[in-house]
Amino acid sequence: MSRAGIRVYLQVYKTQIIRSMTYKFEVYGNILMQSIIMLASAYFWKALFKNSDTVKGVDVDTMLIYTVVSAMISVVLTCNVERRIMTSVDKGTIAIDMMRPVNVFGVFLAEDIAGITALVFQNMLPILVIGCLFIKLPTPAGPAHFALFLVSLFMAFWINWLIACMFGMIAFWTLNMDALIQVKKHLIRLLSGSIIPLWFFPAWLRNILEWLPFAYLYQLPLDLYIGKYPVSSAQCQRGLCVQLLWLVLLTMGFLFLQKRVTSKVMIQGG
Amino acid sequence: MEQEKVVIEVNHICKQYKVLKKGEGIKGALKGLVTRESRLVPAVDDLSFQIKAGEIVGFIGPNGAGKSTTIKMMSGILTPTSGEILINGMDIQKKRKEVVRNIGVIFGQRSQLNWDLRLGESYELLRHIYQIDKAQYEETLDVMDQILGIKELLDKPVRQMSLGQRVKGDLVAAMLHSPDVLFLDEPTIGLDISSKYALRKFVKEINEKRKTTIILTTHDLADIEQLCDRLIIINHGHLMEDGNLSEIVNRIAPYKTLVVEYYDEYAPEHDKCELCFHEENVAKYRFGKKEITAARLIEELSAKAQIKDVSIEEAGIDDIIRVAYGQ
């Protein structure tokens, strides 16, 4: 990409950060909701671990760290791209978006990264502070674990964004998908390990989930952070490999759909 | 003359839409879930014309005639089913990115401004998207400020703007990258008189100052009368008329109307014209320009009844539309 091209997306990024500052009320609401979920899960784990030191090889402190870090990861995995596509298609402005000499999905991506940047300050830091004060200081298992966690989180961001973006593309075929978005959101919540770690699930379900992309949004990065498996273990390597595989598959799917969607707009008009 | 350069060339374009057939009632709806039958509906059928640099062309036609579809095809949003469109000699399908840099589009019902931003911030984003350098951007903005007084709006959030202000904002947004061609799809829809006036002034001035070629669709006949050198009438996706406004009037509605007020209710007939309206003391005669002159008609009518007052109505765009749409 040319330098001038990158500058376009940088400007989109800057502009979007300005926009994110507009909605203060939403930000406070989000912090409140995240904190409640986080505190509730923390007390839930404390109660559960009362009679035993470890469950499935983890102790209560690790579980509390898991809870705080999970809330922080949810900030990195926020994206607006599905709604953005849906409203653009619904209002017909998608035609104008696509008429400009830039890649419209590049613009959506820049907007989402900007949104996350704003949320790191508006949401993640407050959650970290509340987590430290009321639950536990979330220290990673070790430097190697933390490094792998960052790699895995980076891939998790992409997997999440690509799923959301392709999901949003459904809007080109069926217009209203509010309900679908809700279903997807709750499925991810349940099947990704964001609230309940997948190790607590029955083995048959766990075996299935290990091959679905959801576990690679929360479960794998969290496992790496708390040091569930040693860095050199087979589980660790296999996890990262499957995550990478999903990233590649989803990227290919995205590129395929992007072409079809563009021609779809060209045929139907906004 | 340099103005003779052809900017837009439309060759035999057709556009068909796929429309899903839906059955009636619950049974039909259930059937629709399983099988999808569709049929093709032609929206534009074999349309060809050329537009030269610096022209202001009015596109008119009843709702559903294919105006918007044509505009969308010319601005690269829609792909024609067949036929080709050349802008500055480039095929819009093949060199879309290049062509799009030379086009500005305004849809009356859709804004391209960002709701959450101040106007100036939206422009700054567009400046980067079209890679306009700062000096040129400032210059364009100065010109726009003279025409529309846009600078006082730059710091205002778009959400707080009135419709009139937003349309001004949209006009400038479409002109920031100094396109050669500007498409306006029903730009005056919903605007009050003063905003309409501002819009028309804008169109005229950018056409004069920047030699921008302008294509607009409208249902407001005053737009056409005040702005357009040339008129293209479409109906059912076909080209009905193409030409100069007065030329079309002369060809398809070559008559004037004489309105006569008499002292009493009797209105005499005349064999060279048609008495098309008569109520109380007022009568209207429609006569062909070649058949008889107005002076002669008044003279002959006044011989038959006493005339109090007369006026002459020129056949206008309304008449053309009535004739053309009626076909």
Side-chain angles (χ1 to χ4, degrees):
Chain A
M1 199 191 298
S2 66
R3 262 176 61 197
I6 289 171
R7 232 177 289 148
V8 175
Y9 298 108
L10 267 177
Q11 186 65 28
V12 173
Y13 177 80
K14 268 198 272 180
T15 315
Q16 188 64 22
I17 286 189
I18 299 173
R19 281 183 74 186
S20 314
M21 305 295 179
T22 330
Y23 301 107
K24 297 228 170 57
F25 194 72
E26 208 181 295
V27 169
Y28 295 132
N30 238 329
I31 295 174
L32 188 69
M33 202 189 73
Q34 289 287 358
S35 305
I36 290 173
I37 295 178
M38 185 170 71
L39 289 169
S41 340
Y43 283 110
F44 172 74
W45 295 124
K46 275 184 187 167
L48 206 74
F49 277 79
K50 224 170 201 168
N51 300 323
S52 49
D53 288 341
T54 58
V55 178
K56 300 263 175 186
V58 260
D59 58 17
V60 67
D61 282 349
T62 313
M63 214 46 240
L64 294 181
I65 292 174
Y66 189 102
T67 307
V68 177
V69 177
S70 172
M72 288 167 66
I73 291 179
S74 75
V75 168
V76 180
L77 301 185
T78 322
C79 58
N80 193 35
V81 61
E82 42 203 353
R83 258 170 218 293
R84 177 76 161 82
I85 296 177
M86 196 178 82
T87 43
S88 300
V89 171
D90 196 28
K91 287 188 181 165
T93 48
I94 191 82
I96 296 174
D97 286 332
M98 292 193 135
M99 229 197 66
R100 296 200 173 128
V102 280
N103 183 321
V104 70
F105 294 104
V107 171
F108 293 158
L109 178 64
E111 284 177 358
D112 271 340
I113 295 178
I116 291 170
T117 311
L119 282 180
V120 164
F121 296 98
Q122 294 172 330
N123 253 353
M124 198 195 259
L125 287 181
I127 287 172
L128 180 61
V129 171
I130 293 171
C132 287
L133 287 179
F134 297 102
I135 304 172
K136 196 176 163 34
L137 181 73
T139 42
H145 276 108
F146 188 67
L148 283 183
F149 161 76
L150 289 181
V151 171
S152 175
L153 183 63
F154 179 74
M155 289 200 274
F157 162 77
W158 278 104
I159 290 176
N160 184 57
W161 192 84
L162 289 169
I163 291 176
C165 189
M166 285 196 268
F167 203 74
M169 288 177 185
I170 299 174
F172 288 91
W173 284 276
T174 38
L175 284 181
N176 198 325
M177 33 180 273
D178 270 321
L180 272 178
I181 289 182
Q182 287 299 322
V183 169
K184 171 190 163 251
K185 192 174 127 190
H186 291 293
L187 265 184
I188 285 187
R189 219 176 225 179
L190 198 66
L191 302 182
S192 66
S194 84
I195 299 175
I196 305 165
L198 299 185
W199 346 293
F200 289 122
F201 285 28
W204 63 269
L205 185 57
R206 213 168 54 222
N207 286 337
I208 299 173
L209 291 179
E210 261 170 28
W211 293 102
L212 294 180
F214 309 114
Y216 300 93
L217 298 177
Y218 284 89
Q219 189 66 61
L220 181 68
L222 281 165
D223 281 351
L224 290 168
Y225 194 93
I226 62 168
K228 176 91 167 103
Y229 312 109
V231 171
S232 56
S233 67
Q235 282 107 322
C236 225
Q237 286 163 2
R238 199 187 60 182
L240 285 168
C241 283
V242 178
Q243 193 180 28
L244 186 64
L245 186 71
W246 269 114
L247 183 56
V248 171
L249 280 178
L250 289 168
T251 308
M252 277 163 31
F254 166 77
L255 293 175
F256 171 74
L257 273 181
Q258 183 193 0
K259 251 190 197 157
R260 296 207 47 188
V261 158
T262 315
S263 61
K264 175 100 181 164
V265 173
M266 300 299 286
I267 289 164
Q268 289 205 326
Chain B
M1 241 168 61
E2 212 189 342
Q3 292 237 328
E4 293 298 302
K5 196 186 128 204
V6 173
V7 184
I8 302 176
E9 198 177 333
V10 173
N11 292 326
H12 306 287
I13 51 166
C14 298
K15 177 76 197 174
Q16 294 169 329
Y17 285 110
K18 220 185 229 178
V19 177
L20 288 179
K21 237 191 237 168
K22 281 192 179 142
E24 276 174 38
I26 296 174
K27 205 175 156 192
L30 285 176
K31 212 177 151 197
L33 287 175
V34 190
T35 56
R36 286 187 150 192
E37 277 179 78
S38 60
R39 64 199 167 95
L40 290 173
V41 177
V44 170
D45 194 11
D46 196 23
L47 210 56
S48 299
F49 52 86
Q50 293 186 340
I51 291 170
K52 291 178 193 132
E55 277 191 298
I56 304 182
V57 181
F59 252 72
I60 60 171
N63 288 326
K67 299 180 304 259
S68 286
T69 304
T70 311
I71 289 252
K72 280 180 185 160
M73 286 193 280
M74 287 195 285
S75 52
I77 294 172
L78 274 178
T79 317
T81 313
S82 65
E84 60 165 9
I85 297 170
L86 304 177
I87 292 189
N88 281 335
M90 285 184 283
D91 189 321
I92 193 154
Q93 272 3 285
K94 288 172 193 150
K95 300 194 166 179
R96 193 156 166 269
K97 273 202 167 170
E98 277 171 68
V99 175
V100 155
R101 278 181 192 282
N102 264 316
I103 294 177
V105 186
I106 291 162
F107 294 105
Q109 290 137 311
R110 297 168 189 169
S111 176
Q112 60 167 324
L113 302 172
N114 203 317
W115 212 238
D116 298 320
L117 294 175
R118 285 178 291 129
L119 189 60
E121 289 162 351
S122 270
Y123 288 174
E124 193 59 26
L125 186 58
L126 285 173
R127 183 173 86 77
H128 280 84
I129 287 178
Y130 287 101
Q131 294 166 21
I132 309 158
D133 69 69
K134 192 89 184 161
Q136 200 202 336
Y137 168 76
E138 293 293 342
E139 191 198 314
T140 309
L141 218 53
D142 282 338
V143 175
M144 295 303 152
D145 191 46
Q146 282 166 23
I147 306 174
L148 291 173
I150 199 72
K151 281 192 176 167
E152 61 183 39
L153 294 176
L154 286 181
D155 277 332
K156 197 168 182 182
V158 175
R159 62 165 76 249
Q160 289 171 13
M161 289 186 175
S162 68
L163 179 61
Q165 289 174 327
R166 224 180 61 214
V167 169
K168 280 184 186 177
D170 260 316
L171 288 173
V172 176
M175 284 305 293
L176 278 182
H177 56 293
S178 311
D180 294 339
V181 184
L182 182 63
F183 294 100
L184 300 145
D185 194 6
E186 299 184 20
T188 49
I189 208 160
L191 293 184
D192 66 18
I193 306 265
S194 73
S195 300
K196 272 186 191 172
Y197 174 77
L199 187 132
R200 287 176 194 147
K201 187 174 147 214
F202 169 87
V203 170
K204 261 189 194 156
E205 290 200 17
I206 60 158
N207 176 255
E208 276 164 24
K209 286 185 182 156
R210 311 198 139 211
K211 303 281 168 259
T212 309
T213 309
I214 293 160
I215 291 97
L216 65 102
T217 72
T218 184
H219 288 291
D220 187 334
L221 304 177
D223 290 346
I224 304 277
E225 278 171 338
Q226 290 178 24
L227 293 173
C228 301
D229 320 318
R230 183 174 156 198
L231 207 55
I232 291 179
I233 303 178
I234 345 184
N235 202 3
H236 305 304
H238 295 284
L239 190 78
M240 308 296 292
E241 294 290 337
D242 178 0
N244 186 287
L245 177 59
S246 54
E247 182 193 299
I248 295 180
V249 172
N250 279 333
R251 188 150 39 81
I252 69 175
Y255 49 76
K256 295 182 179 191
T257 307
L258 179 72
V259 184
V260 183
E261 194 186 336
Y262 293 106
Y263 276 100
D264 53 62
E265 284 189 22
Y266 169 69
E269 303 246 354
H270 190 280
D271 55 357
K272 291 226 169 94
C273 67
E274 179 198 348
L275 179 62
C276 58
F277 174 88
H278 182 206
E279 217 177 275
E280 296 186 4
N281 295 357
V282 180
K284 288 185 180 178
Y285 299 89
R286 185 182 293 162
F287 62 98
K289 288 171 189 171
K290 286 179 194 150
E291 306 284 310
I292 191 167
T293 64
R296 182 80 182 276
L297 185 61
I298 296 169
E299 192 187 318
E300 291 181 14
L301 287 172
S302 65
K304 294 178 186 169
Q306 219 183 352
I307 295 176
K308 189 174 169 189
D309 195 12
V310 291
S311 62
I312 294 171
E313 287 172 1
E314 294 283 338
I317 195 155
D318 304 33
D319 300 84
I320 303 183
I321 286 177
R322 219 168 17 238
V323 175
Y325 290 10
Q327 279 168 355

